[in-house]
Amino acid sequence: MSAKITVIGSLNMDLVTRAKIPAPGETVIGGDLQTVPGGKGANQAVAAARLGADVQMVGRVGNDLFAEQLLANLTAVSVNHDHVTQDPQAASGVALIVVDSAGENSIVVAPGANGRLSPADVDAAESVIKNADCILLQLEVPLGAVLRAAQLAHKHGAKVILNPAPAQPLPDELLALVDVLIPNETETALLTGLPTTNQVEIEAAAAKLRQFGVGAIILTLGERGALLADADDVTYFPPFIPEKIVDTTAAGDGFVGGLSVALAEGKSLAEAVPWGNATGSLAVTRLGAQPSLPSRAEVETLLAQATSEQQQGVQQ
Ligand code: RIB
Protein backbone atom coordinates (compact mmCIF):
# COMPACT_ATOMS: atom_id res chain seq x y z
CA MET A 1 0.00 0.00 0.00
CA SER A 2 1.22 3.50 -0.80
CA ALA A 3 2.40 5.86 1.89
CA LYS A 4 -0.39 8.28 2.85
CA ILE A 5 0.82 11.84 3.26
CA THR A 6 -1.17 15.01 3.92
CA VAL A 7 0.51 18.38 3.40
CA ILE A 8 -0.91 21.49 5.06
CA GLY A 9 0.84 24.48 3.56
CA SER A 10 1.47 27.01 0.84
CA LEU A 11 1.04 27.05 -2.92
CA ASN A 12 2.85 29.80 -4.86
CA MET A 13 3.44 30.66 -8.45
CA ASP A 14 7.20 31.24 -8.73
CA LEU A 15 8.28 34.06 -11.06
CA VAL A 16 11.89 33.15 -11.76
CA THR A 17 14.74 34.83 -13.58
CA ARG A 18 18.46 34.10 -13.75
CA ALA A 19 20.60 37.05 -12.74
CA LYS A 20 23.25 38.25 -10.36
CA ILE A 21 21.49 38.63 -6.99
CA PRO A 22 21.16 42.41 -6.61
CA ALA A 23 22.72 44.29 -3.69
CA PRO A 24 20.39 46.69 -1.78
CA GLY A 25 19.57 49.60 -4.09
CA GLU A 26 21.02 47.88 -7.16
CA THR A 27 19.11 47.16 -10.40
CA VAL A 28 20.33 44.27 -12.56
CA ILE A 29 19.12 42.89 -15.88
CA GLY A 30 18.05 39.24 -15.72
CA GLY A 31 17.28 36.48 -18.19
CA ASP A 32 13.85 35.49 -19.51
CA LEU A 33 11.01 35.24 -17.00
CA GLN A 34 9.86 31.70 -16.17
CA THR A 35 6.55 30.99 -14.46
CA VAL A 36 6.94 27.83 -12.39
CA PRO A 37 4.62 26.15 -9.81
CA GLY A 38 6.12 26.33 -6.33
CA GLY A 39 5.38 27.07 -2.68
CA LYS A 40 7.00 25.02 0.08
CA GLY A 41 3.81 23.09 0.86
CA ALA A 42 2.95 22.22 -2.74
CA ASN A 43 6.60 21.42 -3.53
CA GLN A 44 6.73 18.89 -0.69
CA ALA A 45 3.41 17.42 -1.85
CA VAL A 46 4.72 17.02 -5.41
CA ALA A 47 8.02 15.56 -4.16
CA ALA A 48 6.15 12.90 -2.18
CA ALA A 49 3.72 12.13 -5.03
CA ARG A 50 6.57 11.69 -7.53
CA LEU A 51 8.03 9.09 -5.17
CA GLY A 52 4.75 7.15 -5.24
CA ALA A 53 2.90 8.40 -2.15
CA ASP A 54 -0.83 8.99 -1.99
CA VAL A 55 -0.84 12.73 -1.26
CA GLN A 56 -3.54 15.16 -0.10
CA MET A 57 -2.92 18.92 -0.17
CA VAL A 58 -4.65 21.35 2.20
CA GLY A 59 -4.28 25.07 1.47
CA ARG A 60 -5.68 28.22 -0.13
CA VAL A 61 -5.25 29.80 -3.53
CA GLY A 62 -6.90 32.85 -5.07
CA ASN A 63 -9.59 32.80 -7.72
CA ASP A 64 -7.22 33.65 -10.56
CA LEU A 65 -5.24 32.23 -13.46
CA PHE A 66 -2.29 31.24 -11.25
CA ALA A 67 -4.69 29.20 -9.09
CA GLU A 68 -5.89 27.25 -12.12
CA GLN A 69 -2.31 26.52 -13.18
CA LEU A 70 -1.24 25.51 -9.65
CA LEU A 71 -4.19 23.14 -9.23
CA ALA A 72 -3.76 21.68 -12.73
CA ASN A 73 -0.13 20.95 -11.89
CA LEU A 74 -1.14 19.10 -8.71
CA THR A 75 -3.70 17.10 -10.69
CA ALA A 76 -1.02 16.18 -13.24
CA VAL A 77 1.07 14.49 -10.54
CA SER A 78 -1.98 12.96 -8.80
CA VAL A 79 -1.93 15.16 -5.70
CA ASN A 80 -5.50 15.41 -4.43
CA HIS A 81 -6.54 19.05 -3.85
CA ASP A 82 -10.13 18.70 -2.67
CA HIS A 83 -9.07 20.62 0.46
CA VAL A 84 -7.41 23.51 -1.38
CA THR A 85 -9.95 26.35 -1.16
CA GLN A 86 -10.23 28.99 -3.88
CA ASP A 87 -10.51 32.32 -2.02
CA PRO A 88 -12.28 35.07 -4.01
CA GLN A 89 -10.87 37.76 -1.70
CA ALA A 90 -7.15 37.17 -2.21
CA ALA A 91 -4.65 36.63 -5.00
CA SER A 92 -2.77 33.35 -5.23
CA GLY A 93 0.61 33.33 -3.49
CA VAL A 94 3.53 34.47 -5.62
CA ALA A 95 7.28 34.06 -5.06
CA LEU A 96 9.76 36.38 -6.79
CA ILE A 97 12.95 34.37 -7.33
CA VAL A 98 16.37 35.32 -8.65
CA VAL A 99 18.76 32.43 -9.38
CA ASP A 100 22.43 33.25 -9.90
CA SER A 101 25.05 31.49 -12.01
CA ALA A 102 26.07 29.26 -9.06
CA GLY A 103 22.45 28.09 -8.62
CA GLU A 104 21.97 30.05 -5.38
CA ASN A 105 18.71 31.93 -5.04
CA SER A 106 17.06 34.85 -3.35
CA ILE A 107 13.28 34.64 -2.75
CA VAL A 108 10.57 37.07 -1.69
CA VAL A 109 7.12 35.58 -1.09
CA ALA A 110 3.86 37.55 -1.42
CA PRO A 111 1.64 35.10 0.51
CA GLY A 112 -1.78 36.22 -0.79
CA ALA A 113 -4.36 33.48 -0.10
CA ASN A 114 -1.81 31.35 1.80
CA GLY A 115 -1.94 34.00 4.54
CA ARG A 116 -5.66 33.35 5.01
CA LEU A 117 -5.48 29.60 5.71
CA SER A 118 -7.36 29.22 9.00
CA PRO A 119 -7.72 26.64 11.77
CA ALA A 120 -11.30 26.16 10.46
CA ASP A 121 -9.87 25.18 7.02
CA VAL A 122 -7.71 22.62 8.78
CA ASP A 123 -10.67 21.31 10.80
CA ALA A 124 -12.55 20.83 7.51
CA ALA A 125 -9.69 18.56 6.37
CA GLU A 126 -9.68 16.42 9.52
CA SER A 127 -10.59 13.26 7.58
CA VAL A 128 -7.44 13.45 5.43
CA ILE A 129 -5.28 14.19 8.48
CA LYS A 130 -6.83 11.25 10.31
CA ASN A 131 -6.08 8.88 7.40
CA ALA A 132 -2.47 10.00 6.90
CA ASP A 133 0.69 8.15 7.98
CA CYS A 134 2.34 11.54 8.31
CA ILE A 135 1.51 15.18 7.87
CA LEU A 136 3.97 17.72 6.50
CA LEU A 137 3.99 21.29 7.81
CA GLN A 138 6.02 24.40 6.95
CA LEU A 139 5.70 28.08 7.95
CA GLU A 140 4.37 29.84 4.83
CA VAL A 141 0.80 29.68 6.22
CA PRO A 142 -0.41 31.19 9.54
CA LEU A 143 0.84 29.58 12.74
CA GLY A 144 -2.75 29.02 13.95
CA ALA A 145 -3.39 26.66 11.03
CA VAL A 146 -0.04 24.89 11.56
CA LEU A 147 -0.75 24.35 15.26
CA ARG A 148 -4.28 23.09 14.59
CA ALA A 149 -2.95 20.59 12.03
CA ALA A 150 -0.34 19.32 14.50
CA GLN A 151 -3.02 18.94 17.20
CA LEU A 152 -5.32 16.96 14.90
CA ALA A 153 -2.50 14.75 13.66
CA HIS A 154 -1.40 14.07 17.23
CA LYS A 155 -5.00 13.19 18.18
CA HIS A 156 -5.25 10.69 15.31
CA GLY A 157 -1.76 9.19 15.62
CA ALA A 158 -0.31 10.60 12.36
CA LYS A 159 3.39 11.48 12.52
CA VAL A 160 3.98 15.28 12.56
CA ILE A 161 6.89 16.45 10.37
CA LEU A 162 7.65 20.18 10.57
CA ASN A 163 10.03 22.01 8.26
CA PRO A 164 10.29 25.39 10.07
CA ALA A 165 10.84 27.49 6.94
CA PRO A 166 10.86 30.42 6.52
CA ALA A 167 12.34 30.74 10.01
CA GLN A 168 10.28 32.28 12.78
CA PRO A 169 10.05 31.78 16.56
CA LEU A 170 7.68 28.92 17.45
CA PRO A 171 5.54 28.33 20.55
CA ASP A 172 6.64 25.47 22.84
CA GLU A 173 3.11 24.07 22.45
CA LEU A 174 3.77 23.40 18.75
CA LEU A 175 7.30 22.01 19.17
CA ALA A 176 6.03 19.52 21.78
CA LEU A 177 3.71 18.03 19.11
CA VAL A 178 6.44 17.54 16.50
CA ASP A 179 7.77 14.04 15.84
CA VAL A 180 10.42 15.07 13.30
CA LEU A 181 11.71 18.64 12.95
CA ILE A 182 13.72 19.42 9.79
CA PRO A 183 15.45 22.81 10.11
CA ASN A 184 18.57 24.10 8.39
CA GLU A 185 21.37 25.85 10.31
CA THR A 186 19.80 29.34 10.12
CA GLU A 187 16.42 28.08 11.28
CA THR A 188 18.08 26.13 14.12
CA ALA A 189 19.92 29.26 15.27
CA LEU A 190 16.69 31.28 15.29
CA LEU A 191 14.66 28.61 17.11
CA THR A 192 17.27 28.05 19.83
CA GLY A 193 18.97 31.45 20.10
CA LEU A 194 22.26 29.53 19.86
CA PRO A 195 25.05 29.85 17.26
CA THR A 196 25.41 27.05 14.68
CA THR A 197 28.79 27.83 13.14
CA ASN A 198 30.59 24.56 13.92
CA GLN A 199 29.91 20.92 14.78
CA VAL A 200 29.97 21.40 18.57
CA GLU A 201 27.54 24.35 18.39
CA ILE A 202 25.24 22.52 15.98
CA GLU A 203 25.01 19.46 18.23
CA ALA A 204 24.32 21.68 21.28
CA ALA A 205 21.54 23.49 19.39
CA ALA A 206 20.00 20.17 18.27
CA ALA A 207 20.05 18.97 21.90
CA LYS A 208 18.27 22.16 22.98
CA LEU A 209 15.55 21.58 20.38
CA ARG A 210 15.00 18.08 21.73
CA GLN A 211 14.46 19.59 25.19
CA PHE A 212 11.34 21.32 23.79
CA GLY A 213 9.83 17.84 23.36
CA VAL A 214 10.60 17.37 19.64
CA GLY A 215 10.97 13.62 18.89
CA ALA A 216 13.89 13.81 16.45
CA ILE A 217 15.80 16.61 14.73
CA ILE A 218 17.15 16.25 11.22
CA LEU A 219 19.35 19.23 10.57
CA THR A 220 20.07 19.80 6.89
CA LEU A 221 23.63 21.01 6.36
CA GLY A 222 23.68 21.74 2.61
CA GLU A 223 26.80 20.37 0.94
CA ARG A 224 27.81 18.78 4.28
CA GLY A 225 24.81 16.42 4.30
CA ALA A 226 22.52 16.05 7.33
CA LEU A 227 22.62 15.35 11.05
CA LEU A 228 20.07 13.17 12.85
CA ALA A 229 19.66 13.77 16.59
CA ASP A 230 17.19 11.50 18.34
CA ALA A 231 16.80 9.86 21.74
CA ASP A 232 19.56 7.34 20.97
CA ASP A 233 22.34 9.22 19.26
CA VAL A 234 23.67 11.93 16.96
CA THR A 235 24.50 10.62 13.48
CA TYR A 236 25.96 12.42 10.45
CA PHE A 237 24.91 11.44 6.91
CA PRO A 238 27.08 12.35 3.92
CA PRO A 239 25.53 14.32 1.06
CA PHE A 240 24.97 13.06 -2.47
CA ILE A 241 27.14 15.41 -4.51
CA PRO A 242 25.05 16.57 -7.51
CA GLU A 243 26.58 16.22 -11.00
CA LYS A 244 25.91 19.93 -11.54
CA ILE A 245 24.12 22.67 -9.59
CA VAL A 246 21.60 24.53 -11.73
CA ASP A 247 19.17 25.86 -9.12
CA THR A 248 18.94 25.11 -5.39
CA THR A 249 15.25 26.15 -5.20
CA ALA A 250 13.15 23.35 -3.62
CA ALA A 251 16.19 21.26 -2.59
CA GLY A 252 14.96 21.46 1.02
CA ASP A 253 11.42 20.61 -0.07
CA GLY A 254 12.75 17.61 -1.99
CA PHE A 255 14.59 16.49 1.15
CA VAL A 256 11.40 16.70 3.24
CA GLY A 257 9.34 14.87 0.59
CA GLY A 258 11.87 12.07 0.15
CA LEU A 259 12.41 11.56 3.87
CA SER A 260 8.65 11.55 4.58
CA VAL A 261 7.84 8.95 1.96
CA ALA A 262 10.52 6.64 3.34
CA LEU A 263 9.23 7.11 6.90
CA ALA A 264 5.61 6.59 5.85
CA GLU A 265 6.68 3.36 4.12
CA GLY A 266 7.99 2.10 7.48
CA LYS A 267 11.72 2.83 7.15
CA SER A 268 13.65 3.99 10.23
CA LEU A 269 14.87 7.58 10.54
CA ALA A 270 18.42 6.47 9.72
CA GLU A 271 17.19 4.66 6.59
CA ALA A 272 14.98 7.61 5.60
CA VAL A 273 17.65 10.38 5.73
CA PRO A 274 19.45 9.12 2.56
CA TRP A 275 16.10 9.23 0.73
CA GLY A 276 15.84 12.90 1.70
CA ASN A 277 19.45 13.59 0.70
CA ALA A 278 19.04 11.86 -2.67
CA THR A 279 15.77 13.62 -3.52
CA GLY A 280 17.14 17.05 -2.58
CA SER A 281 20.37 16.46 -4.45
CA LEU A 282 18.58 15.55 -7.70
CA ALA A 283 16.33 18.63 -7.39
CA VAL A 284 19.29 21.02 -7.68
CA THR A 285 20.27 19.68 -11.10
CA ARG A 286 17.25 21.29 -12.81
CA LEU A 287 15.73 24.78 -12.89
CA GLY A 288 12.60 25.64 -10.92
CA ALA A 289 10.74 24.17 -7.97
CA GLN A 290 8.19 21.51 -8.88
CA PRO A 291 9.62 20.59 -12.33
CA SER A 292 12.95 19.83 -10.67
CA LEU A 293 11.64 17.17 -8.28
CA PRO A 294 12.81 13.67 -9.23
CA SER A 295 10.92 10.45 -9.94
CA ARG A 296 11.17 7.40 -7.69
CA ALA A 297 13.26 5.62 -10.33
CA GLU A 298 15.85 8.42 -10.29
CA VAL A 299 16.05 8.40 -6.48
CA GLU A 300 16.34 4.61 -6.31
CA THR A 301 19.09 4.63 -8.95
CA LEU A 302 21.09 7.21 -7.00
CA LEU A 303 20.65 5.29 -3.73
CA ALA A 304 21.69 2.01 -5.40
CA GLN A 305 24.80 3.68 -6.90
CA ALA A 306 25.80 4.99 -3.47
CA THR A 307 25.34 1.55 -1.89
CA SER A 308 27.41 -0.11 -4.59
CA GLU A 309 30.20 2.54 -4.26
CA GLN A 310 30.22 1.98 -0.49
CA GLN A 311 30.51 -1.79 -0.95
CA GLN A 312 33.37 -1.35 -3.42
CA GLY A 313 35.09 0.98 -0.94
CA VAL A 314 34.81 -1.66 1.81
CA GLN A 315 36.27 -4.37 -0.48
CA GLN A 316 39.29 -2.25 -1.51
O1 RIB B 1 11.31 26.25 -1.01
C1 RIB B 1 11.20 26.84 -2.27
C2 RIB B 1 9.92 27.63 -2.35
O2 RIB B 1 9.98 28.73 -1.48
C3 RIB B 1 9.64 28.23 -3.71
O3 RIB B 1 8.98 27.36 -4.58
C4 RIB B 1 8.87 29.49 -3.37
O4 RIB B 1 7.53 29.44 -3.76
C5 RIB B 1 9.01 29.65 -1.86
O5 RIB B 1 7.87 29.28 -1.22
Side-chain angles (χ1 to χ4, degrees), residues 10 12 14 37-40 43 95 97 107 109 140 249-250 253 289:
S10 60
N12 295 329
D14 292 352
K40 293 187 193 303
N43 295 346
I97 303 185
I107 305 182
V109 175
E140 284 186 338
T249 309
D253 300 328

Side-chain angles (χ1 to χ4, degrees), residues 255-267:
F255 182 96
V256 175
L259 177 110
S260 311
V261 171
L263 284 181
E265 289 179 354
K267 296 182 176 62

Side-chain angles (χ1 to χ4, degrees), residues 113-199:
N114 295 303
R116 290 161 56 87
L117 189 75
S118 67
D121 292 327
V122 177
D123 284 337
E126 182 165 356
S127 60
V128 295
I129 293 174
K130 181 178 176 186
N131 287 333
D133 298 309
C134 34
I135 67 157
L136 307 189
L137 303 169
Q138 324 73 31
L139 302 177
E140 284 186 338
V141 295
L143 220 40
V146 174
L147 179 60
R148 187 75 186 123
Q151 287 166 335
L152 288 179
H154 195 68
K155 170 177 151 194
H156 293 298
K159 214 181 267 296
V160 177
I161 300 178
L162 172 62
N163 172 217
Q168 61 168 284
L170 293 177
D172 295 357
E173 188 189 2
L174 173 60
L175 288 170
L177 294 170
V178 174
D179 294 296
V180 184
L181 185 75
I182 311 179
N184 62 19
E185 288 149 284
T186 318
E187 290 148 5
T188 301
L190 188 132
L191 288 173
T192 59
L194 295 174
T196 53
T197 58
N198 59 45
Q199 191 171 329

